[in-house]
Structure formats: structure tokens, C-alpha cells
Amino acid sequence: MVTTRATAEDRPDRADRSAVRTLLRLWPYVRPVRVRLFTAAFVAVVASCTSLVIPLVLKWMVDGPVADRDPAGVWLGALYLLLLGLAEALLFGLRRLLVARPLAGVEAGMRADLYRHLQRLPVAFHDRWASGQLLSRGTTDLMLLRMFLAFPLTFLLVNGVTILVGVIIMLLQDWTLGLVILIPAVPVMVTCVIFEKRYAAVARRAQDQVGDLTTVVEESVLGIRIIKGFGRHRSQALAFRELSRTLRGTELRKARLLATIWGVIVTLPEVAIGAALVLGAVQVADGELSAGTLVAFLSTALALRWPVDSIGFLLAMSQEAATATERYFEVMDAEPEGREVSTVKEDGEDLGLRFHGVRFRYPDAPADSPPVLDRVDLHIRPGESMALVGATGSGKTTLTALVPRLHEVTSGHITLDGADIAAMPREQLRSLVAVAFEEPTLFSASVADNVLMGTADGAGEPELERALAVAQADFAHALPHGTETQVGEQGLSLSGGQRQRLALARAVVGRPRFLVLDDPLSALDVHTEAAVEAALRDVLAETTALIVAHRPSTVLLADRVALLSDGRIAAVGTHHELLRSNAEYAHLMAGTEEADR
Ligand SMILES: Nc1ncnc2c1ncn2[C@@H]1O[C@H](COP(=O)(O)OP(=O)(O)OP(=O)(O)O)[C@@H](O)[C@H]1O
Ligand SMILES: [Mg+2]
């Protein structure tokens, strides 16, 4: 299955971006826990430097008690070493204790922000983005960030300080040997810089590919019926295998890069230590250096091996974290719904729902294609219900989606009782307008919760009963736990018609002033449809409604009919007027006419 929406390939390679600058964007989230984080880093620096005292104790032991053959002194030295080791372990434990809880909090906070932001992003954004990409950003990427804050961030600092202190100690012990040890520093640094650039690009690709893979998994789970029904599991599995093979290749490239840098970082210092050992041994033999100093020098060098070796993968983890940050903020930087125009055009005369020269083109449509809606003018008077009829693909669903502002009009405006919806606070708009779409969506919650989400808090049993009655959804009472039965993805599966009726109940439960229904009865049998229509009449009598209809029986619910054709309202009138006067309308209604009567 090929996803046409944003995938890994679409995105520009931005290896030239600065990892540090990207990571700095995390500061607002880290700020609240900064004291803990700095304390933890300080504790870790102390712990790490404690380990550098050990070589000095060794030197004292070798040059003192060992040379003097003093067993008591050796035991004392061993006790010191034990205590130092214990102190180091305790301090590192304390560090963990300090950061674990606050960082879990940071991760949770970022995830909550991302979720909140996703809810506020316009439908157009979600049309454009593959859900797997969003999913992987909310999970894998945030986990990478928490790990970065817990580990590489601290340890790049800790290891840096440890290496610095260690090098100073070594230079103080014997500066010629110290310089020998320092020789590989320059090539190691150059390697790190080159490595970082390459690794950044590959890391980005890998994380994007994880997002694409997530999308495929998600689509195959949601579309499992289609896949099985058409016997497509083989091709689906092939697509999955293809993507995971690509991801595997990218991960292997990452591993190869890491292996290279690790090779350089481990080998060069090791060679330098060997050289220092030979040089030092010669000096000791010549009596220019005490054996204790050489022991101290070499054990300091060995103590620095881990801090130096780990730099490779600490940098790698930091790069991945920078990529994760970038991916996180790509979503967070997307503009949420906004555009509250300040010019409220209140017009007392202009009651009802009115479209004024509305033009609409989908943001992702090709630039040269004609707009879906082109100068739509339509006035639905207060209390009136208007049916909207048009050929399939003529833009009916699009038109209905403009009223609750799921999409923003390209030009023109829509007014509710004279007030421009673009200038209206969203909460107000959504309390005025209720909708039911072609595709009835139920959430993993009880029937009652699903229906009552169509109303302000506080609505109760009577409203629920009334709405279920209007939608002829009494079947809900016969479910295993009545209206408390869980439905949606994690609950009981309902039939298409049952879901449609619950969606209709959701639309009418809040007694909205304006009701927008997109073909609300399409999945019902003729008798149920007639029953819903009979009950719906009472509701329609008290609201202003726009109802997309395909069948004459639904059209007859409405006071008037508007015909949508070629992106504009071609005719408005009663069903019978239009049947007589408009050939296209007569054509659309023909055929279904006989069956419905
Ligand atoms: N999210 C979208 N992005 C881009 N184009 C879209 C989008 N949704 C719909 N379209 C296009 O807009 C046009 C109108 O679609 P719409 O769903 O409004 O038709 P409709 O009248 O509701 O059809 P039907 O009677 O089959 O439900 C179609 O050509 C469709 O391809
Ligand atoms: Mg439609």
C-alpha cells in the first residue's frame, strides 16, 4: 500500500542544521526541572572525579607501603580504595534517583502538549500528514528525548570534565608522558565532527522511516477487512517487508558509522597508552620516574578510557535526540486553527444560515484545478430545513464541512444569524452547530458517552432518551449493558446503520440552533428511514437545518431543496418545483423515485 501523504522521501535533508541549536528548543520543557538536573550533573561530576582519586591512592600505596613491605599500610590503602568505590557507586545511584522522576514528567508534559496541539490543528493538517508519522513522534521520538536528557546530556558534561581533570592529573604526574597521551586528541576530534554530520542525516532518515512503517501497520490494522476481502495480505506483507528492509539498511548504516567512529576513538588512545607505557617503563628503569608515578599515570589513563570511548555513542544519541526534537517541533510549529477575523458583520435582518459568495479549494489540491466550490450563495431562513442535492463528487460534503469550520473558506463568508463564523469563537460556533457526517465515527466509550459528547456537560438521561428516540436508536437499550455498553474500536461492533443512528442521535441531542446532516440516513432500510424521518420532523421544526440528501424521501423532509452543480447552487425551490423546472434535478431524482414511493 502506498501512502500518498507526507513520507520520509518528501522531506529535505537538513544535515546542515545545528544539533545544539535544535536541542536548545527543549529548554522550556527542561526549565522546571533544571535545579534537579544541574544537581544531578554536579553529583555525577563528583562521582566521576572520585574515580580519579583512586590512581593517586595507588601511587601512595606503591611508593609507600608496598615499597616498604608494610602489610598494615597495604590494608589501609585497600580500605581507602573500597570506600572510594562505594562513594562513587552511591553518588551515581543518587544521580539516577534525582533525574528519573522529573524526566518522566518532562516526557509526559511534552507528550500532553503534542496531543493537545494535534487536537487543535486544522483538518487540512491531518489530511496532509500520515497518522503513523504523528504516532511515531508522540512515542519513539519522545522516548529518545527523555533518554537524551537522562544520559548523554549529563554524561557529555561529566565525561568532558573527567577527561579534563584526568589530563591535568596526568600532566602533573609527568608532563612528557601526558603529552604523548594527548597526541590522538586532534584526530579523534576531527573524526567526531565528520561523524556527527553524517550520522545526523542517517538518523533523520531512520526516524522518518519508522514513521512510515508505523503508517503501514496502522493502515493494515484498520483496513484488515479490505485486505482479507481482496486477499491482499501478500502484497501488504510485501510492502511492509520492503519498508522494514529499507529501515534495516538505514539502521545498518548507522551501526557502520558508529563502528567506524568507535574504532578510531578506541584505537588511537589505546596506542597512545601503549606508547606512554613503553616510554614510562624506560624512564622507571633509568630511575627518572618512580614506579608509583607510572602506576598512577597509567591507571589514570585507563580510568579515562570509558569517558573517551563513550563519547562516540553519546554523540550518536545526541544526534538522534536532535532529530527527534526537530521532528517534534515540526508538528508543534504547524499553525493551529486560528484566523479569528475581527470584523464581525452583525446584520439583524440576515437571520438563519447564509453562504455569501463562498469559494473553496482544498489546500493540497493542484494549483491549476478548479475550486470545488465556486461562488456559492445560499440562504437558509431561520427554522427552515434545506436539502442539498447534487451528483456524487459535486462538493456536498465539502460544503457541509465549511459550516463548523473544519475547513476554512478560500473566499466569501458564512453567517449564522448575521454573524460571520470566521469571527466567532470556536466554542460558540460549535455550541450553535451540530453535525453528523457520512462516515459515522464512534469512540471507544459507552453508547451514552458517544451520544452525549454532542452536548454541553450536564446533559443527562432525558436528553439521551429523546435523542435515541429521534434517531430510532432504541436498539441501544437491547445491547448487553444497555446504553452503558462499550462501543467503538475497543468495544462491541455495531452495524453501519446502527452507527449512523448513534451519530444522528449525537447531532440532535444538544438541540442545536443549526443542524448540518451529511446524508444521515443512507445506511437505513426503508422502514427505519421512514421512522427516523417521522421523528426527525419534530426536531427539524425547531432548528435551521442543512441536510445532504440523495433520496426523494429524505429530500421531502426539507422545506426547500438546493441543487449543487459545478461548484455553485444551480437552483433552489421545493422538490416538486425543481422536478418540473430543472432537468438535472429531475435526472438525479429519477430512478430512485419509484423505489421510494
Ligand atoms: N480532503 C480532500 N482533499 C482534496 N480534495 C478533496 C478532499 N475531500 C474531497 N475532495 C475532492 O472534492 C470534491 C468534492 O468532494 P465531496 O466529498 O464534497 O463530494 P460529495 O458531493 O460529498 O460526494 P458524495 O455524494 O459522493 O458524498 C471531490 O472531487 C473530491 O475529490
Ligand atoms: Mg459526500
Side-chain angles (χ1 to χ4, degrees):
M1 199 172 290
V2 183
T3 58
T4 50
R5 293 181 286 177
T7 60
E9 280 71 47
D10 303 345
R11 258 162 257 117
D13 223 350
R14 267 174 291 164
D16 55 336
R17 61 105 172 84
S18 144
V20 176
R21 196 163 336 126
T22 311
L23 286 169
L24 274 179
R25 294 198 65 185
L26 295 175
W27 178 243
Y29 291 99
V30 176
R31 228 182 102 86
V33 300
R34 64 188 187 282
V35 175
R36 281 252 182 157
L37 213 57
F38 285 138
T39 314
F42 180 72
V43 168
V45 168
V46 173
S48 191
C49 289
T50 309
S51 62
L52 290 180
V53 180
I54 292 176
L56 299 180
V57 175
L58 281 176
K59 172 182 176 168
W60 170 78
M61 280 171 74
V62 171
D63 283 347
V66 172
D68 303 344
R69 301 186 182 282
D70 164 21
V74 174
W75 280 109
L76 186 66
L79 182 68
Y80 284 152
L81 290 180
L82 182 68
L83 287 179
L84 282 171
L86 266 177
E88 191 188 343
L90 282 177
L91 285 172
F92 272 124
L94 175 65
R95 182 200 82 88
R96 282 240 136 187
L97 212 67
L98 278 172
V99 293
R101 188 189 293 267
L103 289 184
V106 169
E107 186 188 2
M110 289 184 76
R111 187 168 288 138
D113 270 8
L114 181 70
Y115 185 75
R116 200 172 320 127
H117 193 69
L118 282 178
Q119 304 275 305
R120 289 178 55 221
L121 284 170
V123 174
F125 173 89
H126 289 280
D127 278 355
R128 205 166 59 241
W129 277 68
S131 49
Q133 284 292 352
L134 301 176
L135 215 64
S136 65
R137 278 155 218 245
T139 51
T140 326
D141 286 337
L142 286 183
M143 197 190 66
L144 280 173
L145 284 184
R146 175 172 50 83
M147 275 162 51
F148 165 73
L149 294 175
F151 200 61
L153 180 63
T154 316
F155 277 90
L156 278 176
L157 173 76
V158 171
N159 292 356
V161 173
T162 311
I163 293 170
L164 195 70
V165 173
V167 167
I168 291 176
I169 290 181
M170 287 194 288
L171 284 173
L172 287 179
Q173 302 289 337
D174 187 296
W175 67 271
T176 39
L177 291 186
L179 288 182
V180 171
I181 289 278
L182 276 182
I183 290 173
V186 174
V188 164
M189 274 190 243
V190 171
T191 319
C192 282
V193 169
I194 297 174
F195 158 83
E196 247 198 297
K197 274 220 156 55
R198 297 224 181 129
Y199 197 82
V202 188
R204 170 78 213 207
R205 210 171 318 140
Q207 272 151 275
D208 285 343
Q209 285 168 356
V210 169
D212 292 345
L213 201 65
T214 315
T215 306
V216 170
V217 173
E218 203 213 352
E219 281 184 348
S220 355
V221 172
L222 289 179
I224 190 69
R225 284 181 187 78
I226 309 289
I227 291 171
K228 283 192 180 299
F230 286 89
R232 302 302 296 181
H233 47 271
R234 233 179 273 278
S235 64
Q236 195 66 16
L238 204 69
F240 179 83
R241 218 170 19 241
E242 200 56 48
L243 271 180
S244 56
R245 188 170 325 139
T246 318
L247 178 59
R248 176 171 162 270
T250 315
E251 289 293 344
L252 280 179
R253 268 210 69 195
K254 259 166 74 179
R256 266 199 296 277
L257 275 172
L258 205 53
T260 315
I261 172 119
W262 214 329
V264 174
I265 283 187
V266 172
T267 313
L268 289 184
E270 212 77 13
V271 171
I273 290 177
L277 176 63
V278 172
L279 213 68
V282 171
Q283 282 184 346
V284 171
D286 289 351
E288 289 166 16
L289 193 68
S290 80
T293 308
L294 183 61
V295 169
F297 184 89
L298 287 175
S299 36
T300 308
L302 292 178
L304 290 188
R305 252 169 55 172
W306 160 248
V308 172
D309 291 358
S310 62
I311 281 181
F313 81 77
L314 290 180
L315 283 180
M317 282 175 84
S318 309
Q319 279 301 344
E320 276 166 15
T323 307
T325 312
E326 198 176 74
R327 281 165 49 88
Y328 177 80
F329 282 105
E330 271 170 14
V331 178
M332 293 301 283
D333 289 344
E335 278 295 315
E337 292 180 319
R339 212 183 73 112
E340 241 85 299
V341 179
S342 53
T343 52
V344 187
K345 196 178 129 302
E346 280 285 356
D347 183 352
E349 304 295 294
D350 204 11
L351 291 176
L353 166 57
R354 189 155 191 180
F355 295 80
H356 305 259
V358 168
R359 210 180 138 94
F360 179 77
R361 164 203 294 284
Y362 279 101
D364 52 347
D368 52 347
S369 64
V372 178
L373 301 174
D374 195 11
R375 299 208 60 79
V376 168
D377 288 294
L378 185 62
H379 186 189
I380 305 161
R381 302 184 199 113
E384 186 183 35
S385 27
M386 176 80 79
L388 186 66
V389 173
T392 174
S394 57
K396 303 181 294 298
T397 300
T398 308
L399 186 68
T400 54
L402 294 179
V403 182
R405 275 177 73 194
L406 299 184
H407 293 290
E408 304 286 352
V409 294
T410 309
S411 67
H413 55 276
I414 300 172
T415 55
L416 296 178
D417 288 343
D420 191 335
I421 60 166
M424 210 179 267
R426 249 161 235 282
E427 297 80 59
Q428 188 193 347
L429 174 62
R430 292 195 175 144
S431 70
L432 284 174
V433 179
V435 287
F437 296 108
E438 280 170 304
E439 268 303 313
T441 304
L442 296 182
F443 293 89
S444 296
S446 69
V447 169
D449 288 343
N450 264 294
V451 171
L452 287 175
M453 75 190 281
T455 165
D457 296 332
E461 197 68 15
E463 281 89 348
L464 176 65
E465 290 308 323
R466 184 185 134 276
L468 290 178
V470 168
Q472 296 292 303
D474 303 308
F475 70 88
H477 297 298
L479 294 174
H481 304 284
T483 54
E484 287 310 310
T485 309
Q486 293 288 314
V487 293
E489 198 173 350
Q490 286 167 20
L492 192 74
S493 292
L494 298 177
S495 79
Q498 287 172 328
R499 280 186 285 139
Q500 210 169 43
R501 277 176 284 162
L502 288 185
L504 183 61
R506 180 194 291 158
V508 299
V509 70
R511 292 173 189 269
R513 270 179 70 79
F514 297 92
L515 189 60
V516 176
L517 303 176
D518 190 358
D519 212 2
L521 312 175
S522 62
L524 305 187
D525 64 76
V526 183
H527 301 292
T528 313
E529 188 194 350
V532 176
E533 276 162 8
L536 206 51
R537 259 175 225 287
D538 298 336
V539 176
L540 290 179
E542 10 178 291
T543 65
T544 307
L546 179 64
I547 308 166
V548 174
H550 279 118
R551 297 192 259 186
S553 52
T554 319
V555 171
L556 286 170
L557 268 178
D559 304 308
R560 290 192 299 159
V561 193
L563 175 66
L564 185 63
S565 173
D566 289 333
R568 48 196 312 161
I569 301 294
V572 181
T574 66
H575 176 61
H576 295 289
E577 280 169 18
L578 289 192
L579 267 187
R580 269 198 310 277
S581 64
N582 190 298
E584 186 185 351
Y585 185 75
H587 177 70
L588 280 173
M589 287 292 138
T592 53
E593 191 87 324
E594 301 307 314
D596 274 314
R597 280 222 170 135

